[in-house]
Amino acid sequence: MLWIMRLSGFFSAAVVMIVLSPSMQSFPPAEAIRSSNLDTYSPLNRFSFRKSSPFRNAEECTTTPIIKLGKKSGICDPSLVHVAITLDVDYLRGSIAAVHSILRHSLCPESIFFHFLVSETKLETLVRSTFPQLKFKVYYFDPETVRSLISTSVRQALEQPLNYARNYLADLLEPCVRRVIYLDSDLVVVDDISKLWTTRLQGKTIGAPEYCHANFTKYFTSSFWSDGSYSGTFSGRSPCYFNTGVMVIDLGKWRRFGYTKRIERWMQIQKSGATRIYELGSLPPFLLVFAGHVAPIDHRWNQHGLGGDNVRGSCRDLHPGPVSLLHWSGSGKPWLRLDSKQPCPLDTLWAPYDLYGH
């Protein structure tokens, strides 16, 4: 058994000890949302991942019959835990590590279904070879869907269309999928994700850890706050900052109230207006629509900011309190710092989940 011992200081040593839960039994490879002949191409040559060890369910897990995709889809099984992650060429190493961490610490990994959002159609084969028993489906997100709505940001990586794919989960995923956990690619889960899945949303559309001590005004420009037609959107709300890299989403409510269109409306205002109302990529439109209407989730589920700020990517320590998820949001990514032989102390907690290389 492994337990996490937190870092108490900036350069203090950390040891991760986490329950290595049993894993998944065999499940037929999922069919991509696009035609399967796209997957006859080899993945990009620069990537080579080791095959993950098979994980088996604990005895107390309820086993559900395997139903092939295409007829009565196994995706619609109400006992499944649904997790959505993007697969981006530049962040692929992080996505694979995130999936590995989830499987490794899940009591019932056979009950997890992964929904991978991609703009590169050659990646499904790589996932299959790395996780042969994984339950998953790949969804192609057309970059042109959102490209005309994206405005420049403080960091070029934040301008990539796939960053905005989470806005379209309700459209991309099957109607029978009514709840999903969305996770960024630069994190690892060090607890049983079913605990996050069972979060009560208290009638809200999304749940996320909130940080009400943060200076909320900095996420929008002075032009935004000086114009009542914009800033008035927060009237009657108590908005708090939340990080969109870890969210539990009620897709049924999202579809019913048309939140994708609401997010797009703010992106259109930013793109076509005479003045900018925000600077930070895909986060501000989410804050405009949801801040003040978020079901609070324990901070242990998003120990974020480990990648430093959006420019320097400096080392950071953990926030006080227990840890269930480590998130390298910011410009510094653990795989790059480890490869450069200049890791931050916490980057060593990401390394055990890295399957990159032979």
Side-chain angles (χ1 to χ4, degrees), residues 326-345:
L326 298 160
H327 187 186
W328 280 262
S329 57
S331 60
K333 301 307 173 189
W335 55 91
L336 297 177
R337 296 194 293 217
L338 287 163
D339 286 354
S340 70
K341 308 300 183 186
Q342 295 179 320
C344 293

Side-chain angles (χ1 to χ4, degrees), residues 9 38 51 53 70 96 115 124 155 174 180 185 188 190-191 198 201 209 218 230 277 286 289 304 310 351:
L38 288 172
K51 184 166 70 172
S53 301
I96 295 296
H115 304 263
E124 184 182 356
R155 183 157 54 94
E174 287 71 9
V180 69
S185 300
V188 292
V190 293
D191 201 348
T198 55
L201 295 184
K218 73 177 183 179
Y230 294 149
I277 60 174
F286 254 88
V289 173
H304 70 291
N310 279 306

